[in-house]
Amino acid sequence: MPTALATSKRKFHRLLDSISNASSTSLASNHGWNNLSTTTLPTNLASPAKKPRFESRPTSVYIPPSQRQLTSPRPEPHLRIAIQPEKSPRMNEERRPPNFAPWDRGRFLERLKTYRHVDKWLGKPDKIDEVKWAGHGWSCVGRETVRCVGGCDNVVVIKLEDDVPQLHGGECEGEEEQDEWREEAQKQLVEKYAEMISRAHDEGCLWRRRGCDDTIHRLPLAHQAAALESLWYRYQSLSAMAADLPETLSTPDGLGISKLLESADTIFKERTSNTASNSTSAREPSDASTRAPQPPKNVDRSAFILALFGWQAEEDHITGLATCTACFRRLGLWLFKPSPEDPASQSSMQRLDVIGEHRDYCPWVNALSQNGASRRSPLDGLVGWEVLLRHLKNHAMFKTAETKETNNEAEKEKADTASQVASLISSGIMAEEEKEAVKRNDQERWAKLKRLKQVFQAKKKTVNPKKGTSVR
């Protein structure tokens, strides 16, 4: 046998011996037994075969779960301590809505609001305007810069006119040729940016697959009660700064402001009375500090017209500033009023165009933004202020019909009452006549009886009681 093989065998057997010795030692130490071989057992000990097995086994301490539950003492009620799990930092943070929510109009308006600053965003063609970018998850974060905030965080810089000469590479011959070339280059840039509205997102970004629906910008004017309630809210905000409102307003022809003011007066008084009743029922009788709003004496014409066309006071209560919450256009009303120091002076702008001051894509003046591409209801095809105007006219017609019906019912009730009174009077007259007739009949009957009685008495006197003959 070669020496190397023998050496390997010895090492292998030595390894086996060490493993077996270690295992036996650990087993004995775990059970508390002595590591003794059979040759070293004392002679006075009995044979392991004769010794009962249960005596050599250690006592088991295992208790089944069922017994453990029964035997384990229950803690006293006063010793029980409610341990609440610690809140993680993520639980303490406010839960934000998901970034990808193409159905959420509120989130869309939040993104669209970031484009309102003129120092960051200028007007763009319809294909790449702020509505298209906001509808695909982009927010304006800098000068002509949009970003997918909360999503893939990609950034796009939009440049249309500044890069046109650089793309051409030189000057054109003639102004007409240069203008034509600029228009063509502008169209190509617009088409390129229109594709980037969706493709500029990452492959895994959900905004790449789908954007907002074309009706996401629609104003909630379908329900008449909600539409009139929002009109009342805008009017209240504007009437609070009635002194700053301009008087020269440009409105569409044939609007019929006088009739609308009458309808608005009825609506606003109803809203004021409802608010007063709710506030009176809600507050305690001893609370004299909170007073219900007083009904308006006269509807402010300027405040009503501005509210009808979607304008309201700035939420930050900036004096003389009106805004639209759909297109985020802001108006400085002082531009349309003469200087208070010199009332005879002219204002910076002659008239306030309540329609033209909106942005072109605003649903108050744009039928496509209000209705989308498809037609779903009779209100489709109308812009926002036309829908609200129809609600006002319908409300006025309903109130007129209700008043007429109430008057008819009152007249009918009066007629019924009059007929009942007449019938009662006639029945009373008939009763008196019947009484008179009965009385006359009784008198005639008594008269007949008296005459008969007189006749019988006269005959009785003429008969002779002694002879039984009558005296002639």
Side-chain angles (χ1 to χ4, degrees), residues 36-56:
L36 300 175
S37 62
T38 55
T39 57
T40 59
L41 289 174
T43 56
N44 57 355
L45 292 178
S47 174
K50 297 179 181 180
K51 192 173 183 178
R53 291 181 177 270
F54 62 87
E55 293 181 0
S56 61

Side-chain angles (χ1 to χ4, degrees), residues 290-309:
T290 306
R291 295 182 178 180
Q294 299 298 326
K297 296 181 180 179
N298 293 316
V299 178
D300 189 278
R301 181 178 181 277
S302 299
F304 171 72
I305 293 175
L306 289 172
L308 176 62
F309 287 89

Side-chain angles (χ1 to χ4, degrees), residues 21 42-43 149 193 201 234 247 277 283 286 322 325 380 432 437 445:
N21 291 335
T43 56
V149 179
Y193 281 122
H201 290 283
R234 292 193 301 274
E247 298 179 359
S277 61
R283 71 173 187 265
S286 60
T325 57
D380 290 348
E432 292 293 335
R445 193 177 296 110

Side-chain angles (χ1 to χ4, degrees), residues 267-284:
I267 295 170
F268 294 164
K269 285 182 179 179
E270 290 178 358
R271 294 292 185 276
T272 305
S273 61
N274 294 337
T275 306
S277 61
N278 294 335
S279 61
T280 304
S281 61
R283 71 173 187 265
E284 297 179 358

